[in-house]
């Protein structure tokens, strides 16, 4: 959860709460089922930590927490999983079906409600672009400011069944810092990489994502002994379905299989590159890298 609140000692307590909430989310993500627990159990386990910061904790299931703005409730096909109030921070958890860009969809809702993306807010790849992890190994947040408060969107789970985002809201009276900044220039990735879901039942974690004006690279670690060419074919089919051109047959080397790929950027310019699977003893790493020619100056 990412919310920007900073009001003297109260702000210090809120920042501490946000850090602890992030730690709790990572710990929960590492656990095995059950996927849901009673709210009384969550309150009993987590409540004492935040009580030391001077915050009360209240969880709800199947609805957004109290004080959640009605204008920030997404429409179908999104579903409300539940939420919590931790001191002044309200957090709602929403589920989106597979194939839906959850953070982009919710971001559009925020912009329609008068919010703007915060300068310095990181680009969120998890759940939107590239290789979808079964369990994200990082929690990336995109933050927005509006006249009535600040909102942070964090992807907490992304798989073939859909994407779950946690959205945190803090009211305007609690805000300083980033919400006083200037609007950020558009940082949309220069090429549209679709969400690439893993083979059924295969554990996948993102290994790294980066992009610039003339290159884009996304990668994932696949915990499987599936044949490398089968993994390559699985992801190649998804790129082809999204309109990319993919060579029919892979080039095979010592523990590496590669297919050439190409597409067009958002401005219509050609991009070319490769989709590659590197073979380890038990893991496979999948890499998609594309580039375009640099603009030349006379």
């Amino acid at each position: 959860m990412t919310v920007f609140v900073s009001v003297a000692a109260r702000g210090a307590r809120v920042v501490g709460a946000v850090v602890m909430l992030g730690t709790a989310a990572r710990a929960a993500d590492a656990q095995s089922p059950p996927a849901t627990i009673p709210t009384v159990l969550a309150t009993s386990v987590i409540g004492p930590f935040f009580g030391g910061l001077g915050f009360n904790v209240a969880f709800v299931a199947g609805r957004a927490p109290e004080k959640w703005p009605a204008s920030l409730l997404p429409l179908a096909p999104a579903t409300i999983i539940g939420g919590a109030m931790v001191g002044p921070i309200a957090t709602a958890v929403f589920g989106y079906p597979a194939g839906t860009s959850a953070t982009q969809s919710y971001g559009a809702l925020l912009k329609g409600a008068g919010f703007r993306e915060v300068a310095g807010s990181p680009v969120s790849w998890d759940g939107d672009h590239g290789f979808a992890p079964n369990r994200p190994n990082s929690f990336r947040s995109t933050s927005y400011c509006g006249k009535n408060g600040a909102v942070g969107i964090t992807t907490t789970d992304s798989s073939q069944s859909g994407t779950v985002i946690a959205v945190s809201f803090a009211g305007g009276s609690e805000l300083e810092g980033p919400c006083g900044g200037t609007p950020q220039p558009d940082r949309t990735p220069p090429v549209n990489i679709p969400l690439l879901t893993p083979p059924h039942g295969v554990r996948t974690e993102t290994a790294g994502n980066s992009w610039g004006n003339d290159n884009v690279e996304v990668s994932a670690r696949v915990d499987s002994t599936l044949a490398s060419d089968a993994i390559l074919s699985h992801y190649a089919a998804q790129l082809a379905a999204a309109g990319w051109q993919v060579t029919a047959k892979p080039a095979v080397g010592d523990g590496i299989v590669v297919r050439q790929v190409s597409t067009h950027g958002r401005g219509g310019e050609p991009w070319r590159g490769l989709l590659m699977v590197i073979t380890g003893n038990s893991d496979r790493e999948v890499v998609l890298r594309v580039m375009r020619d640099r603009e030349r100056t006379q």
Side-chain angles (χ1 to χ4, degrees):
M1 308 177 186
T2 301
V3 175
F4 300 103
V5 277
S6 176
V7 184
R10 181 181 179 84
R13 294 200 304 273
V14 173
V15 171
V18 171
V19 171
M20 294 183 71
L21 281 168
T23 303
R26 287 168 172 79
D29 183 68
Q31 302 302 310
S32 300
T36 61
I37 61 173
T39 56
V40 64
L41 176 57
T43 303
S44 298
V45 172
I46 297 176
F49 291 99
F50 295 105
L53 295 169
F55 296 139
N56 293 322
V57 180
F59 290 90
V60 295
R63 62 180 178 87
E66 293 184 21
K67 300 182 180 180
W68 189 263
S71 61
L72 300 187
L73 290 172
L75 300 176
T79 58
I80 304 175
I81 297 173
M85 286 295 304
V86 180
I89 305 172
T91 296
V93 180
F94 303 114
Y96 283 78
T100 302
S101 179
T103 56
Q104 287 186 0
S105 178
Y106 199 85
L109 181 152
L110 289 173
K111 291 176 181 178
F115 285 77
R116 60 173 174 79
E117 187 175 352
V118 175
S121 175
V123 173
S124 176
W125 283 88
D126 294 349
D128 289 330
H129 311 279
F131 299 102
N134 303 107
R135 295 177 179 269
N137 60 3
S138 62
F139 287 73
R140 303 191 177 195
S141 297
T142 306
S143 304
Y144 293 79
C145 289
K147 64 179 182 179
N148 296 321
V151 175
I153 309 173
T154 304
T155 301
T156 60
D157 197 11
S158 181
S159 66
Q160 286 183 319
S161 61
T163 301
V164 176
I165 59 173
V167 183
S168 299
F169 173 81
S173 62
E174 300 289 338
L175 303 176
E176 289 182 3
C179 281
T182 57
Q184 175 158 328
D186 181 23
R187 292 182 301 160
T188 304
V191 61
N192 181 29
I193 296 180
L195 184 65
L196 302 170
T197 58
H200 180 69
V202 173
R203 181 180 174 86
T204 305
E205 294 182 351
T206 54
N209 304 304
S210 63
W211 60 269
N213 290 331
D214 53 24
N215 62 85
V216 176
E217 180 173 318
V218 296
S219 60
R221 184 61 63 95
V222 180
D223 183 9
S224 174
T225 56
L226 283 175
S228 295
D229 57 349
I231 296 173
L232 188 72
S233 295
H234 173 84
Y235 287 112
Q238 295 181 62
L239 285 176
W244 287 52
Q245 282 67 54
V246 184
T247 54
K249 293 184 179 180
V252 181
D254 185 11
I256 299 176
V257 291
V258 179
R259 291 198 194 199
Q260 290 182 324
V261 298
S262 62
T263 188
H264 286 86
R266 299 184 187 277
E269 70 282 359
W271 287 69
R272 298 180 178 85
L274 57 83
L275 176 66
M276 173 174 62
V277 177
I278 305 170
T279 305
N281 291 329
S282 60
D283 288 0
R284 309 286 185 264
E285 184 153 309
V286 191
V287 179
L288 174 63
R289 180 176 176 82
V290 292
M291 55 81 69
R292 68 167 181 171
D293 291 335
R294 293 177 177 172
E295 296 180 0
R296 306 292 181 183
T297 57
Q298 298 296 331

